[in-house]
């Protein structure tokens, strides 16, 4: 007999699909790493300051991607401390490992870890850092409860999400262009999306329900420079598996049309000297276990 949930996506299938997308986008994240990290450094600094890493401590970075935020903390853990840099995608970890070697970091361990099932001991860490990761966990309660479990009593968590889509043209200009071109039917990104934890109230509630205390949050304004529409297109393609899936299937005429629409959407952010400066606002939060 047909039931109301027959069309519901199986969560395990969705998890596998998401993991595959992240695996495929790791090279793109590496390719645009320098520019993305420069633009997002104020968030990384907020997060590292919030966990206040001390020599000898053990810190876990979750959903680390290619690892840059945690590497800032790693230096402060010396001497004697260790950063465990983790991600659900092996290809991201491979880039993180190579980058740590390049930076000459010797106190970093790498481990594949899923946000919802954190493969680490209870109370193993003094701090956890997670930049733009929790929104991608299908069960966010589980991810935050797991995070608290691996923190020692009084251990510190710092995390970043994004505020609402309208406050993040850096991500929405290209999505609006896809919509204008009729290439997607809905402007709202399907869950799990970068904007799923945009409300400080919801985030605070989730953290408190997971047992965290002294939750504080803030907003950090960012600016993403792009020299041209082509660069904006390439960078989005590099970083967003969903965008890449859509544009990879386009023919030359559709692609040309899309570029025009990106130019229209980006026009309000054009700079007098050329290029664009796209704004964004991150939501950052810290709490104690
Ligand atoms: C938006 S990227 C952020 C990467 C990095 N933290 C940064 O700020 O540059 C999201 C990262 O979360 C990872 N991720 C997504 N779902 C995950 C999960 N369930 N468990 C662990 N990592 C996950 C992806 O592989 C990807 O590296």
């Amino acid at each position: 007999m047909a039931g109301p949930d027959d069309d519901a996506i199986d969560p395990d299938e969705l998890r596998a699909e998401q993991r595959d997308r992240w695996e495929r986008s790791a090279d793109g994240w590496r390719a645009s790493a320098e520019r993305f990290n420069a633009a997002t450094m104020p968030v990384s600094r907020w997060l590292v300051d919030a966990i206040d890493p001390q020599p000898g401590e053990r810190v876990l970075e979750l959903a680390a991607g290619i690892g840059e935020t945690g590497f800032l903390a790693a230096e402060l853990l010396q001497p004697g401390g260790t950063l465990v840099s983790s991600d659900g995608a092996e290809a991201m970890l491979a880039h993180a490992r190579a980058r740590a070697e390049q930076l000459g970091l010797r106190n970093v361990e790498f481990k594949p870890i899923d946000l919802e099932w954190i493969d680490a001991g209870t109370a193993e860490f003094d701090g956890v850092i997670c930049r733009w990761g929790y929104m991608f966990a299908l069960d966010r309660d589980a991810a935050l409860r797991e995070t608290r479990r691996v923190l020692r009593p009084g251990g510190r968590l710092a995390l970043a999400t994004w505020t609402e889509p309208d406050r993040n043209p850096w991500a929405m200009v290209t999505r609006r262009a896809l919509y204008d071109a009729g290439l997607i039917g809905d402007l709202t990104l399907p869950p799990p999306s970068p904007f799923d934890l945009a409300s400080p109230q919801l985030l605070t509630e989730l953290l408190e329900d997971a047992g965290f205390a002294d939750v504080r949050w803030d907003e950090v304004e960012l600016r993403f420079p792009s020299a041209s529409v082509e660069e904006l297109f390439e960078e989005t393609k590099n970083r967003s598996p969903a965008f890449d899936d859509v544009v990879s299937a386009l023919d030359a005429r559709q692609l040309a049309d899309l570029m025009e629409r990106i130019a229209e959407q980006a026009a309000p952010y054009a700079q007098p000297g050329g290029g664009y400066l796209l704004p964004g606002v991150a939501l950052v939060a810290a709490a104690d276990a």
Side-chain angles (χ1 to χ4, degrees):
M1 197 169 77
D5 290 336
D6 281 358
D7 287 340
I9 303 170
D10 176 71
D12 287 333
E13 267 175 41
L14 187 54
R15 283 186 182 101
E17 193 183 288
Q18 293 293 315
R19 197 173 313 120
D20 177 59
R21 280 184 163 189
W22 288 115
E23 293 284 4
R24 282 188 286 124
S25 71
D27 289 351
W29 274 73
R30 178 66 207 113
S32 60
E34 266 96 69
R35 293 162 51 75
F36 188 72
N37 284 329
T40 56
M41 190 53 82
V43 171
S44 294
R45 293 230 177 278
W46 195 98
L47 299 179
V48 172
D49 285 353
I51 62 160
D52 190 21
Q54 297 297 315
E57 287 190 335
R58 196 164 165 80
V59 166
L60 171 66
E61 183 173 22
L62 289 167
I66 61 171
E68 299 282 345
T69 303
F71 296 158
L72 297 176
E75 295 183 12
L76 302 171
L77 298 170
Q78 303 261 37
T82 303
L83 169 78
V84 176
S85 181
S86 76
D87 198 89
E90 298 271 3
M92 292 283 187
L93 274 184
H95 282 300
R97 206 176 274 116
R99 180 71 179 136
E101 241 166 64
Q102 203 180 37
L103 292 171
L105 292 171
R106 305 224 172 281
N107 62 332
V108 187
E109 294 168 9
F110 296 90
K111 193 168 175 179
I113 292 183
D114 193 289
L115 284 162
E116 293 176 68
W117 294 272
I118 299 181
D119 181 11
T122 298
E124 186 181 329
F125 293 99
D126 301 288
V128 170
I129 208 162
C130 183
R131 193 178 80 155
W132 298 313
Y134 285 111
M135 52 276 237
F136 299 112
L138 261 49
D139 184 342
R140 293 175 197 125
D141 297 307
L144 288 171
R145 274 198 310 273
E146 274 288 87
T147 303
R148 184 168 178 276
R149 180 185 64 79
V150 302
L151 277 167
R152 66 162 168 78
R156 289 97 57 201
L157 165 66
L159 66 97
T161 70
W162 292 106
T163 58
E164 303 79 10
D166 285 351
R167 301 179 70 194
N168 286 284
W170 74 275
M172 290 308 287
V173 155
T174 43
R175 181 140 185 108
R176 281 184 198 288
L178 289 183
Y179 182 76
D180 292 349
L183 296 169
I184 52 171
D186 196 343
L187 259 187
T188 310
L189 282 138
S193 101
F195 303 110
D196 287 354
L197 281 176
S199 151
Q201 288 72 28
L202 170 67
L203 190 56
T204 303
E205 220 172 275
L206 283 172
L207 284 162
E208 287 176 350
D209 286 353
F212 283 97
D214 195 17
V215 178
R216 54 264 180 213
W217 60 268
D218 204 349
E219 293 184 349
V220 179
E221 292 190 8
L222 300 174
R223 294 280 177 275
F224 294 83
S226 244
S228 63
V229 167
E230 287 70 25
E231 191 175 280
L232 183 52
F233 173 88
E234 276 308 318
E235 297 232 320
T236 310
K237 194 168 171 327
N238 277 342
R239 277 196 313 268
S240 164
F243 185 80
D244 188 34
D245 283 349
V246 177
V247 302
S248 296
L250 301 184
D251 61 31
R253 189 194 53 76
Q254 288 172 308
L255 214 46
D257 177 54
L258 178 63
M259 296 311 256
E260 268 177 40
R261 291 175 193 273
I262 296 177
E264 277 165 28
Q265 287 292 342
Y269 311 103
Q271 296 301 291
Y276 302 90
L277 202 52
L278 299 165
V281 184
L283 173 62
V284 290
D288 299 334

